[in-house]
Amino acid sequence: MAKQNTVFKDAYNRCLKVLAETSSLPSEPELGQVLGVSRTTVRAILRRFEEAKLITWDKRKKIVLRQPQPDDYFPTEETDSLAEIIERSFMRRILAGGAEPGMQINELELAREIGAGTTSVREFLIRFSRFGLIEKRPNSHWILKGFTREFALELTEVREMFELRSAASFVALPDSHPAWQELNRIEALHHEILADIDNRYKEFSELDERFHLLVHKSSSNRFIVDFYDIISIVFHYHYQWNKTNARQRNARALEEHLAYIEALRSHDPKRAEEACRRHLRSARETLLQSIP
């Protein structure tokens, strides 16, 4: 079900871009061919367009009534691939479970929660096992393992190289790129959490992953984006094993993110680099403090 929903939302967003460039939409078979989806999905998209008063639809005539606005699009995180959905669900599950060394992960339970096949979930978990972060056990079980100080230091070096490269790419994005809309949504969530930090500081980990993943994706480098999975799991979940000063730590990181976001918006590569380095230094210090 998760996969089908993602297919619809991704096709819907792409169809909005088609709509923005015309005064009338082509036939359903033509739209299906352009979007790479079934006629059933096309019809579902058109019905939603009609409900949103984007078009009038009378049999073969589909007249555009208005241009799509940013709020008409589904958020980027809802149009990710199945692999990305599995990754996000896995991270949320670990966060909710209070990630600690020795924690068991059952791939069958994880697959049921996500609504995905066990093969896809198993492939995802195998990716992490290459780095020694999780270990396979009998009967579809995995064990979350701890991290050494040496591992963390090596990872922070790689993270800095990748994120500086990605930040430079982000500031060069045209203003029309959808990444800026997603950045607006992420910035708004930062302000919401800071306004109620005493009650919502635990929401930072997921927002942090969402923000940095957006920055890394701007690199358009599959190896950088893929390796961010490893970076994310270490930085987010190791923090949880040492909850000392979590509220203050997360509040500081949220403020650093907002300065980072402002620097990205400036389209000034030097300013973005300085904000990125400042935040990554803090993240590195926090990570090392959390390791016994």
Side-chain angles (χ1 to χ4, degrees), residues 2-227:
K3 183 176 181 180
Q4 293 172 348
N5 195 34
T6 301
V7 168
F8 170 78
K9 291 179 178 181
D10 176 63
Y12 183 90
N13 281 2
R14 288 188 288 117
C15 197
L16 281 173
K17 294 177 182 178
V18 173
L19 182 146
E21 298 173 355
T22 185
S23 59
S24 63
L25 292 172
S27 67
E28 292 167 35
E30 287 176 298
L31 270 177
Q33 188 172 7
V34 169
L35 301 174
V37 295
S38 68
R39 188 175 296 186
T40 301
T41 300
V42 169
R43 287 172 179 165
I45 291 170
L46 293 174
R47 282 195 294 272
R48 191 176 179 104
F49 278 5
E50 198 172 27
E51 291 169 2
K53 300 190 184 316
L54 285 159
I55 65 169
T56 58
W57 182 19
D58 182 14
K59 297 180 180 179
R60 294 186 178 182
K61 293 182 179 180
K62 308 170 194 69
I63 307 300
V64 176
L65 296 177
R66 66 177 179 87
Q67 288 289 297
Q69 301 299 313
D71 290 346
D72 289 315
Y73 290 84
F74 284 106
T76 302
E77 72 273 12
E78 294 183 21
T79 61
D80 289 335
S81 67
L82 180 59
E84 290 170 318
I85 291 172
I86 292 172
E87 174 189 328
R88 186 175 297 109
S89 299
F90 172 75
M91 290 179 173
R92 286 173 178 166
R93 192 176 197 273
I94 296 298
L95 282 169
E100 294 182 359
M103 176 182 176
Q104 288 198 12
I105 303 161
N106 186 299
E107 63 187 42
L108 298 177
E109 291 178 4
L110 186 59
R112 279 197 296 269
E113 287 179 12
I114 299 170
T118 54
T119 300
S120 298
V121 170
R122 188 177 301 117
E123 288 174 353
F124 169 79
L125 294 172
I126 288 171
R127 288 172 57 206
F128 284 113
S129 68
R130 300 175 311 185
F131 295 87
L133 304 180
I134 57 176
E135 185 176 276
K136 184 76 172 70
R137 295 294 171 85
N139 301 320
S140 303
H141 280 77
W142 298 75
I143 297 293
L144 185 66
K145 301 179 70 177
F147 309 102
T148 66
R149 188 178 183 85
E150 291 73 19
F151 183 97
L153 285 169
E154 291 173 13
L155 196 69
T156 56
E157 292 179 6
V158 176
R159 181 188 189 184
E160 181 172 323
M161 288 188 292
F162 283 178
E163 184 137 354
L164 287 171
R165 165 71 174 78
S166 300
S169 296
F170 202 104
V171 297
L173 293 174
D175 291 334
S176 59
H177 196 283
W180 294 110
Q181 297 172 13
E182 175 66 4
L183 189 66
N184 290 340
R185 288 188 282 265
I186 288 173
E187 181 182 33
L189 283 171
H190 277 71
H191 287 297
E192 288 176 16
I193 293 174
L194 277 171
D196 190 18
I197 191 66
D198 289 337
N199 297 312
R200 299 184 62 179
Y201 70 90
K202 292 181 181 179
E203 297 177 34
F204 169 73
S205 291
E206 187 174 330
L207 183 58
D208 183 64
E209 188 267 342
R210 181 175 168 184
F211 170 58
H212 286 286
L213 181 58
L214 177 67
V215 174
H216 279 76
K217 281 183 174 180
S218 71
S219 68
S220 298
N221 185 311
R222 72 188 72 181
F223 300 104
I224 290 178
V225 175
D226 185 63
F227 194 73

